[in-house]
Amino acid sequence: MTEELQLTSQATATRETPMALTALFADLVIIAFLPILLKVSEYEISPDATIFNRFWIATVILGLWNGVEFIKGRWSANSTPVKLLPDSTNLLLLLLMGVLSGGQQLLYARSLTQTTVANSEVLHSLTPLFTTLVGWTFLGQKFDGLFSIGIAIAVLGSIALAANDFSIALDKLQGDGLALVSAAFWGGYLMVTEKLRSQFSIRAIATWNCLLITFFTLPFVLAGGEGLFPHSETGWLTLSALGISAIFTTFLITYSLKRLSSGLVATILLLHPAITAMLAWGIFNETLSLLNLLAFVVILFGAYLTTSSKAGVKETEE
């Protein structure tokens, strides 16, 4: 009986791992379009206001969804209620997730106003190193040589992608620092979400994440003294698209963390600048250099190595 359960668990893991990878690559495509939407929104309101509006819209949508599911559950005798309310221990983790996620959003937006996109991308390429180092030092996670080599190759490929435009300047040091802290926050968010994944459903995690980011960013927007809402239909449509994308990206990343470690997820997400460049080439006819193509191949190869390692893929349910 035990052997049958083990075989069933292994078969489930084998089937769900490709689905988790597919979810991550779908997330990459959505993320690739975000800079365009953010740029359009920031013609009317500040980056902080854009983030606030994006996540309160996502929170309202998720709240309506949860309300509908609750009503359906009251009328159905066979339904299993989704756990939304945490106990004291999980509440701390949820609050930490909100601080890390909201902080990352604000720091990233601020960093882009004080440093170049290239500098920010290079520093965000270090996220897999943060997740791996913290996991090994404080959480007792073990990584084999193949996993470490894969991360190193992917990080080098990601740095090479932006190295052509990377610059060191005293007037950009503050923005570089914000980008570096943002990268650390992003890695922390992935690790906390990975922990919560075994306690809550994807919908519950997404709801709490969007709600907490909304409350976390509101004081910063009000302190800035700038306009809170857009003044045109285009602005509202853009924010609505950003809100819906926030739900999809949270769902897809959280789903992938069921079978993939936070270090592997962070490594695969390094592909998003390359995918953005390829979409810009296909849609806007922007130039795609040989360096872009080579860096994409290098990052993909690094991600393949980390995926091939047993350290990055979970074989059984936690």
Side-chain angles (χ1 to χ4, degrees):
M1 183 66 177
T2 303
E3 292 181 356
E4 290 179 358
L5 290 174
Q6 289 177 343
L7 289 173
T8 302
S9 179
Q10 291 175 358
T12 301
T14 301
R15 182 176 64 255
E16 290 185 345
T17 298
M19 293 173 63
L21 291 170
T22 301
L24 262 188
F25 280 98
D27 182 73
L28 282 168
V29 174
I30 296 174
I31 291 175
F33 285 100
L34 289 184
I36 300 172
L37 294 173
L38 290 170
K39 199 70 175 177
V40 172
S41 175
E42 289 168 10
Y43 283 131
E44 297 188 29
I45 55 178
S46 68
D48 291 354
T50 296
I51 294 169
F52 166 74
N53 281 283
R54 180 189 186 195
F55 283 97
W56 80 252
I57 290 172
T59 301
V60 169
I61 295 172
L62 287 168
L64 292 173
W65 185 2
N66 288 320
V68 170
E69 291 298 322
F70 176 77
I71 295 172
K72 287 171 60 178
R74 294 294 297 268
W75 286 92
S76 176
N78 299 323
S79 66
T80 302
V82 174
K83 180 182 177 183
L84 289 174
L85 298 178
D87 53 33
S88 58
T89 302
N90 289 327
L91 178 60
L92 292 176
L93 282 175
L94 285 169
L95 290 174
L96 179 59
M97 176 188 69
V99 170
L100 291 170
S101 184
Q104 187 273 329
Q105 296 279 342
L106 289 174
L107 288 167
Y108 178 68
R110 295 280 182 87
S111 72
L112 291 178
T113 65
Q114 301 179 39
T115 189
T116 64
V117 174
N119 284 26
S120 182
E121 292 295 345
V122 167
L123 293 167
H124 273 85
S125 299
L126 303 178
T127 298
L129 300 182
F130 287 123
T131 57
T132 304
L133 184 60
V134 172
W136 174 68
T137 305
F138 298 104
L139 304 179
Q141 296 179 357
K142 296 181 180 180
F143 305 99
D144 56 23
L146 187 62
F147 188 85
S148 302
I149 292 172
I151 284 183
I153 291 174
V155 168
L156 289 174
S158 185
I159 292 174
L161 187 64
N164 189 49
D165 297 316
F166 182 81
S167 62
I168 300 176
L170 292 178
D171 61 336
K172 296 176 182 176
L173 287 180
Q174 182 174 342
D176 292 344
L178 292 176
L180 185 62
V181 177
S182 172
F185 271 41
W186 177 238
Y189 163 75
L190 291 175
M191 299 184 74
V192 173
T193 304
E194 182 181 7
K195 180 70 175 178
L196 288 169
R197 183 65 183 87
S198 61
Q199 304 295 324
F200 293 93
S201 69
I202 298 176
R203 177 155 49 90
I205 291 174
T207 301
W208 276 101
N209 184 53
C210 294
L211 178 64
L212 290 170
I213 291 177
T214 300
F215 282 109
F216 182 82
T217 55
L218 180 59
F220 292 92
V221 179
L222 295 177
E226 299 180 12
L228 191 60
F229 303 112
H231 50 75
S232 70
E233 291 184 3
T234 301
W236 280 112
L237 287 172
T238 302
L239 288 174
S240 299
L242 283 168
I244 294 171
S245 71
I247 297 173
F248 275 101
T249 55
T250 305
F251 266 63
L252 292 169
I253 289 177
T254 306
Y255 174 79
S256 69
L257 288 168
K258 179 181 180 181
R259 288 298 173 196
L260 309 178
S261 71
S262 54
L264 177 55
V265 170
T267 302
I268 293 175
L269 289 177
L270 292 179
L271 287 164
H272 87 83
I275 292 179
T276 300
M278 297 181 86
L279 287 174
W281 168 72
I283 298 174
F284 302 110
N285 293 320
E286 292 188 6
T287 303
L288 190 64
S289 68
L290 180 61
L291 179 62
N292 292 139
L293 293 173
L294 289 175
F296 179 78
V297 172
V298 170
I299 299 170
L300 195 61
F301 179 63
Y304 169 76
L305 291 180
T306 55
T307 306
S308 302
S309 167
K310 293 182 179 180
V313 179
K314 304 169 188 175
E315 295 183 356
T316 58
E317 190 71 56
E318 293 181 348

